[in-house]
Every structure is written in structure tokens, then in C-alpha cells.
Amino acid sequence: MGILGTVSEMLEASSESANRGGGKGDGSKGAYWCHDCDERIRDVDVAGDDQPECPDCEEAMEFERSPSSTGCAC
């Protein structure tokens, strides 16, 4: 494979999925945030389907990142 093929492959990988490099990932689709406390909990670290409460202020945390999005959640 030449340089052009390598560059094409790299560009495809950077836009296809959130699991860069063909890895399987851990199934995370985003994270829960408490904007007041700047607390973050990844969705794979939450048991069940309910919104978790912030460990600091005990308010409901907000889920950020849609399941169909790719790339950074920032």
C-alpha cells in the first residue's frame, strides 16, 4: 500500500466512528454531567437506565452526547 492509500485509510478512520483505530471500545455512548459541580460520570459506570445523582450536590445529572454521534463529546 502506498502513501496515498495510507492517508486515505487514516482519514476514513478519523470520521467513521468514535472507536478510533478499529478498536471495540467499551460501549460508552457519553457521560452524565453536573454542570454546577463539574462532576462527570461515564454512562458505562452507571448501573441501570436512570439518571444518576451528582455525588456532590445530589441533583440529577444530565446526559451529554447523542448515541449516534461520533468523535469528541466536548
Side-chain angles (χ1 to χ4, degrees):
M1 177 181 302
I3 293 177
L4 184 58
T6 302
V7 170
S8 295
E9 226 177 68
M10 181 181 69
L11 292 173
E12 286 176 17
S14 71
S15 62
E16 281 184 5
S17 87
N19 299 323
R20 304 293 192 252
K24 298 289 185 221
D26 60 5
S28 177
K29 300 216 184 310
Y32 290 95
W33 289 85
C34 177
H35 296 283
D36 294 334
C37 300
D38 290 329
E39 188 71 36
R40 174 183 181 260
I41 301 174
R42 293 181 66 224
D43 64 334
V44 293
D45 296 332
V46 175
D49 294 328
D50 296 331
Q51 283 182 309
E53 291 182 348
C54 175
D56 293 336
C57 69
E58 298 180 3
E59 293 293 320
M61 299 177 84
E62 183 178 341
F63 185 77
E64 291 195 359
R65 181 190 238 175
S66 68
S68 62
S69 70
T70 61
C72 182
C74 340

